[in-house]
Amino acid sequence: MSENIDSEHARLADTEYLVRRSMTKGYQLFSIITPPIYAGFGLFRKGRGYLTVNRLLRATWLGGAAGVASGGAFEYVRSSNSSSETLRSRRIRVVYDTASLRADDHATIGALLFAVLTPSIFWKRATAIHSIFGGAGLGTAVGYFTHIARSASGDVPPKPVVPQIVSDS
């Protein structure tokens, strides 16, 4: 009985970790793709007068919010249809993925910097909420591109040794 409860708690912990991670990756992805898609849509469909800084920043943070929701929902469905062993294996691989952790660090640093800088630059052109959250979305994209540039220039994060999973039975 106790073993069943422990394995169920481990499954829930693995699912929670993977869902949170997918929400982060969804935010990063949608923060990257939303501004150019919105700018292209605004320029080609509505004209140059439609595209403003406030609207672009609003679209950026709303796109990031949509990425959080879709990433979390996707991973929850994926995890609920996976076995406990598969979830544990995926979580261990994700925990030891230093390239992805460094990308998250760069994205977080960029989000914090741009959340502070964007309102000060666009003080009169955007509302406070759009400039803070939209700036964080733009900063996430810039931070992620910084990670890609560093990796492409040869500064690759080290590969850790991933321990093997040993079953109790």
Side-chain angles (χ1 to χ4, degrees), residues 3-116:
E3 187 176 305
N4 259 350
I5 292 173
D6 289 343
S7 69
E8 186 61 29
H9 285 280
R11 179 182 174 78
L12 290 173
D14 293 340
T15 300
E16 177 192 357
Y17 182 83
L18 292 170
V19 167
R20 280 188 291 123
R21 177 132 179 92
S22 270
M23 292 170 81
T24 301
K25 292 301 180 183
Y27 180 78
Q28 290 172 359
L29 175 67
F30 276 62
S31 291
I32 290 169
I33 65 173
T34 300
I37 289 174
Y38 183 78
F41 173 78
L43 289 174
F44 293 120
R45 298 281 276 169
K46 302 284 188 175
R48 207 177 117 216
Y50 181 78
L51 191 63
T52 64
V53 173
N54 192 49
R55 288 179 178 163
L56 181 67
L57 291 172
R58 180 182 58 210
T60 301
W61 78 266
L62 289 176
V68 167
S70 60
F74 173 79
E75 185 59 45
Y76 182 77
V77 169
R78 182 179 180 194
S79 295
S80 65
N81 293 323
S82 298
S83 68
S84 295
E85 294 80 22
T86 304
L87 286 177
R88 176 57 47 141
S89 173
R90 284 183 47 226
R91 181 177 180 177
I92 289 174
R93 270 186 307 197
V94 164
V95 166
Y96 285 98
D97 186 4
T98 55
S100 182
L101 290 173
R102 189 170 82 170
D104 292 346
D105 291 345
H106 281 96
T108 302
I109 291 167
L112 291 172
L113 286 174
F114 275 64
V116 173

